[in-house]
Amino acid sequence: MASALIPGTASAPGYGHPRSHRLLTPGDFRAVFDQVAVKSACPELLLLSRPAQSGTARLGFILAKKNIRTAVARNRVKRCAREVFRLHYADWPPLDIILMGRKELGLLTHEQLHDLIEKQLRRLTRRWHKALADSA
């Protein structure tokens, strides 16, 4: 019961990352790869996206053991990305987004990781809005 009062716990209202905000099936991932509309890249990560069919933003991860050696580091990246995604969920356009980690991603501190993911998601959002404006 006490966890419902602590922000950041799964029980606290508005702080979760529900299944409806995740890419879950291989078909979801394949659709993004086949229909990439907007990309955002840097040396540490690559974001791929396409307009979401569900009407809400969804996030998926591809973090290979080859690039991020330890499970601890891969899980840290996922936790940080989910945190950034859920804190700014209202700001994201309805996109299906895949976050692909590169070798240097696992070496960043939590603060660097948080800033990098937030910066790349905002860049992706700007590019998506620009693509919408150009197509109209």
Side-chain angles (χ1 to χ4, degrees):
M1 294 287 174
S3 68
L5 303 174
I6 301 169
T9 61
S11 309
Y15 286 100
H17 187 72
R19 290 179 66 84
S20 62
H21 294 176
R22 299 183 224 163
L23 294 176
L24 297 170
T25 65
D28 292 340
F29 283 86
R30 192 173 308 110
V32 175
F33 280 115
D34 291 344
Q35 303 167 2
V36 173
V38 182
K39 297 180 195 179
S40 178
C42 67
E44 296 86 6
L45 64 90
L46 170 67
L47 295 175
L48 304 173
S49 68
R50 76 173 190 124
Q53 302 302 313
S54 63
T56 61
R58 300 188 304 166
L59 181 64
F61 301 99
I62 297 178
L63 302 172
K65 190 188 287 189
K66 177 181 175 183
N67 293 334
I68 304 172
R69 297 298 301 169
T70 65
V72 171
R74 289 190 301 275
N75 290 334
R76 187 171 55 85
V77 169
K78 288 189 257 185
R79 275 195 309 274
C80 189
R82 283 189 203 111
E83 177 184 358
V84 170
F85 191 74
R86 73 175 172 77
L87 288 176
H88 302 286
Y89 184 74
D91 300 338
W92 310 134
L95 294 172
D96 288 343
I97 302 167
I98 294 178
L99 184 149
M100 296 177 65
R102 294 181 175 162
K103 288 189 186 289
E104 296 81 20
L105 191 62
L107 304 175
L108 300 176
T109 66
H110 181 76
E111 292 79 22
Q112 291 170 328
L113 191 57
H114 189 278
D115 292 342
L116 177 70
I117 293 170
E118 187 171 357
K119 177 183 172 185
Q120 292 302 319
L121 281 168
R122 292 204 185 282
R123 177 192 253 177
L124 185 80
T125 301
R126 279 194 313 271
R127 288 182 177 179
W128 185 77
H129 287 299
K130 185 175 186 280
L132 273 182
D134 291 346
S135 67

